[in-house]
Amino acid sequence: EEAQKWAESFTALMASKQGSALYHEFLQLEFSNENLEFWQAVEDYKNSKPKDMAAKAQQIYKDFLTVNQSSKKQQVNLDAETRSITLANIQCNNPDQHAFDRAQRRIQHMMERDSYQRFLKSEAY
């Protein structure tokens, strides 16, 4: 019954602890889990205390939005304009919970059109 709700929307899938874990496992098998990890990091960031936001914003940017050989994370695929706007948002003195909104929307849209649809047709689901 809960699994049927996951097919209703990406949001329903992400609202389920079991559903999001299963989707993450599916993406790992496809070697494309960086988008979901970015999306989840931004969700965590949005729920952070204001005093922790600047450091978390910098870490998310370093992990997912820069080409960094030392990072264990893979860079997400965003257009230059979105990347530039996001960088400007986090470099201000007080980044707020909306600093990654545009980037997160783009990544979510990409997942909804692509990997989420494959997940719903997969054996895992």
Side-chain angles (χ1 to χ4, degrees):
E1 198 174 294
E2 181 182 353
Q4 288 176 339
K5 290 180 184 175
W6 303 342
E8 292 174 11
S9 70
F10 178 81
T11 306
L13 177 65
M14 291 295 91
S16 164
K17 192 171 190 160
Q18 185 180 7
S20 62
L22 193 59
Y23 183 52
H24 188 257
E25 286 176 29
F26 170 77
L27 292 175
Q28 285 178 311
L29 293 173
E30 289 199 335
F31 302 100
S32 63
N33 50 308
E34 69 278 356
N35 289 332
L36 179 60
E37 290 176 7
F38 168 76
W39 189 91
Q40 290 173 322
V42 172
E43 286 298 296
D44 179 60
Y45 166 82
K46 287 192 227 175
N47 294 310
S48 299
K49 294 177 181 168
K51 67 180 178 72
D52 299 330
M53 287 185 140
K56 281 190 175 189
Q58 292 295 326
Q59 190 63 48
I60 291 170
Y61 193 85
K62 179 181 166 219
D63 286 348
F64 297 102
L65 301 174
T66 62
V67 179
N68 185 352
Q69 300 301 335
S70 65
S71 177
K72 294 180 178 126
K73 311 274 186 206
Q74 236 187 334
Q75 183 181 12
V76 294
N77 186 10
L78 288 171
D79 60 277
E81 183 181 4
T82 299
R83 196 175 300 277
S84 176
I85 289 169
T86 303
L87 180 58
N89 288 346
I90 67 167
Q91 286 182 329
C92 73
N93 288 336
N94 276 331
D96 65 10
Q97 71 266 25
H98 302 291
F100 291 97
D101 283 359
R102 180 180 171 133
Q104 187 183 35
R105 273 193 312 272
R106 294 207 184 250
I107 293 299
Q108 181 172 335
H109 184 67
M110 215 181 313
M111 287 190 295
E112 287 173 338
R113 281 191 345 254
D114 190 31
S115 60
Y116 172 64
Q117 297 304 317
R118 286 195 313 278
F119 170 72
L120 294 177
K121 294 174 185 164
S122 73
E123 297 262 334
Y125 175 67

